[in-house]
């Protein structure tokens, strides 16, 4: 399969992928490719292996079999732990991640996730939904083109889900 130029950018994907949790295969033979701007949504009951697959795609655990064409430098991973530092303010968290990734656009991330009025508030004092929005804003400042998200709208109200969409 490989990473193929589709005119507007590169395609990423997997071929014959198998993933395991606790040494037991939970998914096998998975093949897909995504072009820039496309999304893949995983749905299924708890415990079926969705998070295991996402962690494998993000490079956090090895695949059991198959090929993965997804360069680690292209990926930003967002999961239940938001990747934020509780004692830092919203703006300090975003500045930290922007500096780690050599990216910027902190102001745009604050605006995109409706965090401007919270920019000076410590992350530990945010509600669950505000923390989730900060976690999503963190992904914006990475500058990475591929986002792998595990339940990205958990704790978000209807307005914030619309911002995410």
């Amino acid at each position: 399969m490989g990473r193929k130029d589709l005119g507007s950018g590169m395609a990423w994907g997997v071929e014959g992928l198998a993933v395991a949790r606790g040494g037991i295969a939970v998914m096998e033979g998975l093949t897909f490719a995504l072009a820039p701007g496309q999304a893949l949504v995983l749905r299924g009951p708890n415990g079926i292996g969705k998070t295991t697959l996402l962690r494998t795609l993000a490079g956090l655990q090895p695949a059991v079999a198959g090929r993965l064409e997804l360069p680690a430098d292209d990926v930003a991973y967002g999961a239940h732990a938001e990747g934020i530092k509780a004692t830092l303010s919203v703006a300090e968290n975003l500045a930290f991640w922007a500096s780690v990734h050599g990216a910027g656009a902190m102001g745009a991330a604050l605006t995109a996730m409706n965090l401007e009025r919270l920019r000076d508030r410590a992350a530990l004092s945010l509600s669950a939904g505000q923390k989730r929005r900060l976690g999503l804003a963190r992904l914006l400042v990475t500058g990475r083109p591929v986002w792998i998200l595990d339940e990205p709208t958990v704790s978000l109200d209807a307005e914030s889900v619309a911002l995410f969409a």
Side-chain angles (χ1 to χ4, degrees):
M1 162 165 87
R3 201 171 158 190
K4 298 178 177 78
D5 189 340
L6 298 179
S8 64
M10 304 302 276
W12 296 270
V14 300
E15 187 171 5
L17 190 70
V19 300
R21 181 178 56 241
I24 300 170
V26 293
M27 288 188 192
E28 298 176 299
L30 185 63
T31 298
F32 67 85
L34 293 173
Q38 289 185 313
L40 174 68
V41 177
L42 299 176
R43 292 188 181 156
N46 292 346
I48 198 134
K50 298 179 303 290
T51 296
T52 300
L53 172 61
L54 295 175
R55 289 180 49 79
T56 303
L57 294 174
L60 300 175
Q61 65 186 57
V64 173
R67 288 189 3 200
L68 175 62
E69 299 290 338
L70 187 60
D73 288 346
D74 286 358
V75 175
Y77 180 65
H80 304 288
E82 303 294 350
I84 57 178
K85 307 292 183 196
T87 58
L88 297 180
S89 71
V90 167
E92 289 168 334
N93 268 284
L94 294 179
F96 169 78
W97 285 109
S99 70
V100 165
H101 293 284
M106 185 179 78
L110 286 167
T111 300
M113 294 315 302
N114 193 23
L115 293 167
E116 299 98 336
R117 67 180 184 80
L118 301 172
R119 71 177 293 123
D120 297 321
R121 186 178 294 181
L124 62 87
S125 69
L126 299 175
S127 71
Q130 291 166 336
K131 287 178 185 173
R132 180 54 59 126
R133 291 193 342 253
L134 176 54
L136 292 169
R138 175 186 66 86
L139 299 175
L140 285 168
V141 301
T142 67
R144 295 194 169 187
V146 178
W147 288 10
I148 296 176
L149 306 173
D150 196 348
E151 299 185 8
T153 59
V154 167
S155 300
L156 293 181
D157 58 21
E159 181 181 335
S160 297
V161 170
L163 280 174
F164 171 74

